[in-house]
Amino acid sequence: MRYMLIVGATTAATLISGAAFAQSSTVNGAAGGAVTGAIVGGPVGAAVGGVTGAIVGTVIDPPPQKVITYVREAPAPQARVVVKEKVVIGQPLPQTVIVTPVPENPKYAYAIVNDERVIVEPSSRKVIQIIN
């Protein structure tokens, strides 16, 4: 039991120190998840929490309000775009969907799919936010 406690504490300390030096949201998510998991479930909880936190940490930060407002007010295209797949945050849009860059912030683009306005990351086409 003592060995597992030492291993859990060492793992948590390693992840926390990594978070102090890294600026990646994945590392920060892993460290936060490991600490929370260690508090709730001990060493096994730290391991599970670290993996879960890393997955959650990879989510792209939400776009600024200015981008959301622009996408909300942008005119809809003449042709309606419908896809069979469900539009899901974190998943890329199909290649058949045309994405339009946000003029004042090239870090974001948008599309209107299945009558939903979505903000995407242009390079990967991953959905960042769905605007209802």
Side-chain angles (χ1 to χ4, degrees):
M1 179 68 180
R2 186 174 184 182
Y3 173 75
M4 290 184 69
L5 184 59
I6 292 170
V7 169
T10 303
T11 302
T14 302
L15 290 172
I16 290 170
S17 65
F21 295 109
Q23 295 187 3
S24 168
S25 58
T26 301
V27 173
N28 291 336
V35 171
T36 304
I39 292 169
V40 175
V44 174
V48 172
V51 171
T52 304
I55 292 169
V56 172
T58 60
V59 175
I60 301 171
D61 293 332
Q65 188 60 44
K66 189 174 183 178
V67 171
I68 296 170
T69 302
Y70 177 84
V71 172
R72 186 174 283 137
E73 295 173 356
Q78 296 290 341
R80 188 169 176 247
V81 178
V82 178
V83 295
K84 292 180 184 178
E85 300 87 7
K86 182 175 170 65
V87 176
V88 178
I89 293 175
Q91 295 298 314
L93 290 176
Q95 291 295 325
T96 57
V97 177
I98 297 172
V99 296
T100 306
V102 174
E104 293 182 18
N105 199 332
K107 184 178 174 184
Y108 301 99
Y110 72 97
I112 301 175
V113 183
N114 298 345
D115 295 324
E116 292 182 311
R117 292 176 184 259
V118 295
I119 299 174
V120 300
E121 179 186 40
S123 60
S124 66
R125 303 174 61 85
K126 285 185 181 178
V127 176
I128 299 171
Q129 185 169 350
I130 300 171
I131 300 174
N132 295 329

